[in-house]
Amino acid sequence: MSSFFQAAYLLVVEHTGAEKGVGSAELLLYNSVLSLPFLLLLVVLTGEVYHIGEAYRDATIQGSLFPLLLLLCSCMGCLLNYSIFLCTINNSALTTTIVGVLKGVLSTLLGFFLLGGVRFSWLNVVGIFMNTLGGCMYTAVKYRQKQAALRKRATGEGEERLLGGANGERQHEHAV
């Protein structure tokens, strides 16, 4: 389900940026403004809104660097979101998907070996392999579909040019 919504999200970003001429900074602003009411509703419905101040105070007391780290993480999140928008607008949703699959594989492997805490299990290995294989297969299928559409469009445009030229000559002959 997550993959479906991510793909839909990237296609909307690509379509909006390419078709409407909206830049990545504007898309990021629209995304944030449109998402904020849903986030606020979720925070209120779950009751977390009443615990925000207390949680912030507790975190600040336990670690004096917490406000700085929170600000740094917020800035990094904004930068990551901006780079995803920029990648999607300048390339395509397919390219962003490929980059996402590669990033997922790399971060999973690095987390698996460097961070520890995960017991080795064949179920984990098979799950990671299936996830990676599914992402690669999806990317390959979408790439082939896009290439076929580009070839079809190029062939169709070439035929239209030939037909347009012939019609133009005929119209010119009738005018003379």
Side-chain angles (χ1 to χ4, degrees):
M1 186 175 207
S2 174
S3 297
F4 171 77
F5 284 116
Q6 178 72 16
Y9 174 71
L10 290 174
L11 288 172
V12 167
V13 169
E14 178 184 13
H15 174 73
T16 304
E19 300 279 328
K20 310 292 185 204
V22 178
S24 54
E26 291 89 356
L27 276 175
L28 191 57
L29 175 67
Y30 296 147
N31 182 49
S32 300
V33 169
L34 293 173
S35 299
L36 193 58
F38 297 107
L39 176 64
L40 292 176
L41 180 67
L42 186 65
V43 168
V44 169
L45 290 177
T46 59
E48 291 183 20
V49 70
Y50 306 110
H51 305 288
I52 292 174
E54 181 183 335
Y56 183 79
R57 271 192 308 277
D58 290 344
T60 304
I61 290 171
Q62 290 177 2
S64 61
L65 290 177
F66 176 74
L68 178 66
L69 293 175
L70 179 64
L71 180 66
L72 182 64
C73 287
S74 298
C75 291
M76 290 173 65
C78 289
L79 184 62
L80 175 65
N81 212 6
Y82 178 74
S83 66
I84 289 171
F85 275 86
L86 200 59
C87 179
T88 305
I89 288 172
N90 289 328
N91 299 301
S92 68
L94 177 63
T95 303
T96 306
T97 303
I98 293 169
V99 170
V101 168
L102 294 175
K103 178 202 66 86
V105 169
L106 183 64
S107 62
T108 300
L109 290 175
L110 286 174
F112 210 53
F113 293 113
L114 296 179
L115 300 178
V118 178
R119 290 187 332 212
F120 178 80
S121 163
W122 281 108
L123 187 60
N124 285 345
V125 172
V126 169
I128 291 169
F129 176 75
M130 287 175 58
N131 182 24
T132 304
L133 183 65
C136 291
M137 287 173 54
Y138 170 79
T139 303
V141 167
K142 286 298 185 184
Y143 178 75
R144 287 187 187 123
Q145 286 176 350
K146 188 170 185 170
Q147 292 299 318
L150 288 174
R151 280 193 299 272
K152 186 175 180 181
R153 191 180 313 150
T155 304
E157 287 176 4
E159 290 173 2
E160 288 174 9
R161 285 187 201 140
L162 290 174
L163 293 174
N167 289 339
E169 290 171 7
R170 286 184 192 140
Q171 289 174 356
H172 180 66
E173 289 174 6
H174 290 289
V176 173

